[in-house]
């Protein structure tokens, strides 16, 4: 990988895999080239999988728990000294505003520290053998082993922290891992793998590949030697890959949602509106659990929507590397065009535009609030992944819950209320893997479970949960002589 000189540095990531070509990485705000990275073809994928498979098969070469834990701790220490460098890289390649990019880098450090402690916290257990005569004279206990080679395919919107979420649990579990970052944002991934090696991880145990085509990426994910696939990205691709996995391979899929919010009557709008604006417009809405559909009691629905529009209109859309920028670009110009088409469609079908509703440039879209779009519009039925929030009035809460649950997607939801009974009623009936009370839908800590349901995903993410998925529990039964 070679980079431009904006940061007065040139860096190349060592790799054991022979490159087949190269890819130019663009700054999504100004579309200027910031780096060139090597890509691999099918032969490169074969080389990488052969290396990972050999690591797993050579059991005498497995790294013991204490060594892996020490490597992750050293990696966290190294990363903590490079927060500003990494945050700027996240902003430049992914378009996330610098303030939020710093938060991402700090979360990545904390994620490494969390993973470093996982082997200490999860052991086997005794299986009682004396409960029947058949078990008499035997002692049984379980232990854990790594599942095998892990392939992680990642998304662009959190180019460092998502990689840490997928790679660090594999290292903690003792699995050799191959990670394929998004083609739009490979630089943070490559820097992280380099950092792991600097911390002492042998190169064969963590490899990063930028593939030259979707077919090459599919060959990587579906190779029969791969024991576990961690996929973050579109539902179409994720479910297709799952259908092609080798028998016995496990997977965790993290796709998108169309996150609903219920707002009770009488809530304090000064508390609710800033949280909704952050949850819906953060990273230009390019978050899988971004606030998208807000159901508000009709007594204050329009008032909340107008207040939300006023807040959104004041958020600065600009170069993400500037400290005062609140919203950066979408990842590609084609996404700006798509979001604009969806918004115009909703307005044409009867939605009221309260703010935004237009591109600001080829790469940026104005933060937008729509009031009461049709339930059949794309903005109401599909993941927007753009800086748009839709507000819908309701009369009865159960009707709002029914509308929130009507889609084939289910991920995180939230409820704003001052009434315990309302919160319990809504939380127990919303189709979601997590319900936030008096917070936005995009809240997350890295050790909590994070799971898409229905078409939104399969399995559970989050550091401890991924770690457990990447291990096999093996039973040992000892018969006394």
């Amino acid at each position: 990988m070679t980079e431009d000189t904006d940061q007065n540095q040139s860096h190349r990531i060592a790799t054991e895999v022979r490159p087949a070509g190269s890819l130019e990485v663009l700054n999504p705000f100004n579309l200027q080239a910031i780096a060139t990275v090597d890509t691999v073809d099918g032969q490169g994928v074969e080389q990488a999988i052969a290396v990972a498979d050999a690591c797993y098969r050579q059991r005498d070469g497995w790294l013991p728990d204490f060594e892996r834990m020490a490597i992750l701790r050293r990696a966290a220490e190294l990363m903590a000294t490079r927060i500003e460098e990494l945050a700027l890289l996240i902003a430049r390649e992914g378009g996330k505003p610098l303030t939020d990019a710093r938060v991402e880098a700090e979360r990545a450090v904390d994620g490494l520290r969390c993973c470093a402690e996982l082997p200490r916290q999860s052991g086997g257990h005794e299986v009682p053998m004396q409960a029947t005569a058949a078990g008499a004279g035997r002692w049984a206990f379980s232990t854990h082993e790594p599942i095998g080679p892990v392939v992680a395919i990642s998304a662009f919107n959190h180019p460092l922290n998502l990689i840490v979420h997928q790679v660090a649990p594999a290292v903690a579990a003792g699995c050799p891992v191959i990670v394929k970052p998004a083609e739009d944002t490979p630089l943070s991934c490559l820097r992280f793998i380099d950092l792991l090696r600097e911390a002492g991880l042998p190169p064969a145990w963590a490899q990063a590949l930028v593939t030259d085509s979707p077919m090459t990426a599919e060959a990587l994910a579906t190779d029969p030697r791969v024991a576990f696939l961690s996929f973050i990205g579109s539902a179409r691709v994720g479910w297709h890959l799952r259908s092609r996995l080798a028998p016995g391979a496990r997977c965790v899929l993290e796709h998108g949602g169309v996150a609903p919010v219920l707002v009770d009557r009488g809530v304090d709008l000064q508390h609710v509106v800033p949280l909704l604006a952050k949850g819906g417009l953060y990273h230009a809405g390019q978050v899988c659990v971004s606030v998208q559909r807000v159901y508000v009691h009709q007594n204050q629905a329009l008032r909340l929507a107008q207040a939300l529009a006023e807040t959104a209109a004041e958020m600065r859309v600009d170069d993400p590397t500037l400290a005062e920028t609140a919203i950066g670009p979408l990842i590609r110009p084609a996404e700006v065009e798509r979001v604009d088409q969806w918004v115009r469609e909703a307005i044409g079908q009867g939605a009221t535009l309260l703010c935004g509703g237009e591109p600001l440039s080829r790469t940026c879209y104005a933060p937008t609030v729509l009031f009461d779009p049709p339930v059949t519009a794309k903005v109401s039925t599909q993941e927007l992944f753009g800086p748009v929030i839709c507000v819908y009035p309701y009369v009865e809460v159960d009707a709002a819950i029914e509308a929130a649950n009507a889609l084939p997607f289910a991920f995180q939801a939230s409820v704003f209320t001052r009434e315990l009974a309302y919160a319990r009623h809504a939380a127990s009936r919303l189709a979601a893997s997590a319900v936030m009370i008096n917070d936005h839908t995009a809240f997350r800590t890295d050790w909590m479970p994070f799971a898409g349901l229905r078409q939104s995903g399969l399995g559970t993410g989050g550091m401890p949960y991924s770690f457990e998925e990447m291990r096999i529990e093996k039973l040992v039964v000892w018969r006394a002589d």
Side-chain angles (χ1 to χ4, degrees), residues 114-279:
C114 175
C115 285
E117 295 305 310
L118 291 175
R120 188 195 307 273
Q121 299 169 358
S122 180
H125 63 279
E126 182 179 358
V127 179
M129 287 288 106
Q130 308 308 311
T132 67
R138 291 169 175 83
W139 176 41
F141 59 91
S142 66
T143 184
H144 289 92
E145 292 181 353
I147 190 173
V150 170
V151 165
I153 296 179
S154 204
F156 76 86
N157 52 336
H158 306 291
L160 178 62
N161 201 42
L162 289 183
I163 300 295
V164 170
H165 265 267
Q166 295 173 286
V167 172
V171 174
C175 297
V177 56
I178 303 169
V179 57
K180 190 202 86 64
E183 288 82 358
D184 293 298
T185 55
L187 306 181
S188 297
C189 173
L190 296 175
R191 191 68 54 84
F192 173 58
I193 296 300
D194 194 38
L195 187 147
L196 282 177
R197 294 172 177 184
E198 186 178 346
L201 185 68
W205 286 89
Q207 304 175 79
L209 304 180
V210 180
T211 53
D212 64 355
S213 71
M215 291 181 60
T216 303
E218 180 173 333
L220 171 66
T222 60
D223 188 279
R225 290 164 290 185
V226 173
F228 188 92
L229 171 65
S230 170
F231 178 87
I232 303 175
S234 78
R236 179 184 61 82
V237 175
W239 292 114
H240 170 73
L241 291 179
R242 185 210 180 202
S243 73
R244 299 292 307 280
L245 292 181
R250 297 182 190 171
C251 69
V252 168
L253 309 177
E254 182 183 314
H255 303 145
V258 191
V261 179
L262 298 183
V263 182
D264 192 9
R265 71 179 78 192
V267 298
D268 182 358
L269 298 189
Q270 291 184 336
H271 169 71
V272 174
V273 167
L275 290 169
L276 293 179
K278 182 65 175 181

Side-chain angles (χ1 to χ4, degrees), residues 85-104:
E85 170 194 339
L86 291 167
L88 184 58
L89 186 59
I90 291 166
R92 293 180 73 230
E93 72 168 338
K96 179 177 288 186
L98 191 58
T99 299
D100 296 322
R102 290 192 183 103
V103 173
E104 177 174 343

